[in-house]
Amino acid sequence: AQSVAQPEDQVNVAEGNPLTVKCTYSVSGNPYLFWYVQYPNRGLQFLLKYITGDNLVKGSYGFEAEFNKSQTSFHLKKPSALVSDSALYFCAVRDHGQNFVFGPGTRLSVLP
Amino acid sequence: GAGVSQSPSNKVTEKGKDVELRCDPISGHTALYWYRQRLGQGLEFLIYFQGNSAPDKSGLPSDRFSAERTGESVSTLTIQRTQQEDSAVYLCASSLDLYNEQFFGPGTRLTVL
C-alpha cells in the first residue's frame, strides 16, 4: 500500500528566504504526486502535480516541486517566501491502483 | 457553478440524530471523493466514486456511515446515530478521473453535541 510522509509538522522561514516543505512517498510502480495548500478557514487548493516528464514541476503562486525517484521524494519549494504563503501544505500520492493518499500536512509559517 | 459546492456549510446536531451532507461536483468530473478532517489534523479518506463503478468504501469508519452518488452528479454522505467523535469538517472533492488533481469544496463543519 502506498504511503506519504511529511517529516516536519512545522516549518518556519523568514519572508524573502527560500522555503522547502518535504515529502517522501512509498508506492509501487510510477507515482502520481500532488501538492495542495489549505489557507486558514478555506478549502484545499491544488498547487501542482507530477505525472511524467520533467522532474521539476512548476505550479501556482510561484511554487515548484522536484521529483526525485531515487530518493522517493517530492519536496515543495519556493525561491522567496511571502507572509501570505503561511498555510497548511499537504502532499498526496496515488499509484496506478485505486487509492489516493494524503500526507499528514506541514504547517508553514513565514515570518515578516 | 464553476467549483465544487457543499451544503450545509455548518451543521449542529444532537448525539444520536442522523445527518445528511451534500456535494455537487464540477460538471463532467467522473470521480468524487469524501474526506474527513478533524481539527488540526490531516485528511482521512472515507469513500470515492468513479463513474459507474462500485464505490471504494474502504475508508468508511463504521457502518453508521454511507454515501450515494447519482450517476456522475450529486453525492450525499449520511451519518446515522451521530456520535461526538463524528464532529469534524467533511470535505468533498471531484476530479476528471482518478489520476488527475482533485478540486475541493469548502466543506461542511459538523458539530455533534
Side-chain angles (χ1 to χ4, degrees):
Chain A
Q2 66 266 42
S3 64
V4 178
Q6 293 181 242
E8 300 155 318
D9 293 336
Q10 173 90 34
V11 171
N12 297 320
V13 64
E15 187 174 29
N17 283 1
L19 71 86
T20 299
V21 183
K22 296 179 180 177
C23 172
T24 59
Y25 65 89
S26 173
V27 68
S28 58
N30 294 321
Y32 295 76
L33 295 157
F34 304 82
W35 274 102
Y36 290 83
V37 60
Q38 188 174 34
Y39 296 104
N41 299 315
R42 292 170 61 181
L44 274 81
Q45 297 179 31
F46 167 75
L47 275 181
L48 51 79
K49 66 180 177 184
Y50 171 83
I51 303 296
T52 187
D54 289 341
N55 289 343
L56 185 64
V57 178
K58 294 188 182 297
S60 307
Y61 312 120
F63 283 93
E64 58 188 28
E66 185 167 11
F67 170 61
N68 188 317
K69 188 173 184 177
S70 63
Q71 296 186 4
T72 61
S73 67
F74 190 56
H75 300 332
L76 181 70
K77 299 181 180 183
K78 187 172 182 180
S80 179
L82 300 172
V83 172
S84 58
D85 293 329
S86 299
L88 190 56
Y89 290 81
F90 292 97
C91 181
V93 65
R94 83 168 303 128
D95 60 13
H96 289 270
Q98 308 244 349
N99 293 318
F100 200 112
V101 176
F102 280 79
T106 297
R107 188 164 300 280
L108 172 67
S109 292
V110 181
L111 308 174
Chain B
V4 178
S5 60
Q6 292 186 246
S7 60
S9 55
N10 279 284
K11 176 71 177 178
V12 180
T13 189
E14 294 179 347
K15 178 181 173 181
K17 300 282 190 182
D18 297 351
V19 296
E20 192 171 276
L21 312 179
R22 176 187 168 107
C23 172
D24 279 279
I26 294 173
S27 178
H29 281 193
T30 64
L32 186 147
Y33 306 77
W34 283 99
Y35 297 90
R36 178 168 68 181
Q37 187 177 28
R38 291 198 167 103
L39 186 64
Q41 298 189 20
L43 276 70
E44 178 185 358
F45 165 76
L46 296 177
I47 186 171
Y48 81 77
F49 299 86
Q50 168 61 41
N52 295 319
S53 302
D56 179 349
K57 304 180 180 180
S58 60
L60 294 178
S62 77
D63 59 8
R64 296 187 295 105
F65 288 72
S66 63
E68 293 182 348
R69 187 182 187 191
T70 307
E72 294 185 354
S73 182
V74 171
S75 176
T76 55
L77 176 70
T78 301
I79 309 173
Q80 296 178 309
R81 305 180 302 281
T82 52
Q83 304 293 314
Q84 288 183 331
E85 63 262 26
D86 298 335
S87 296
V89 175
Y90 289 82
L91 294 167
C92 175
S94 70
S95 63
L96 278 172
D97 54 43
L98 289 179
Y99 301 102
N100 276 282
E101 62 270 25
Q102 298 175 26
F103 293 83
F104 283 81
T108 293
R109 184 176 299 278
L110 174 66
T111 303
V112 182
L113 301 176

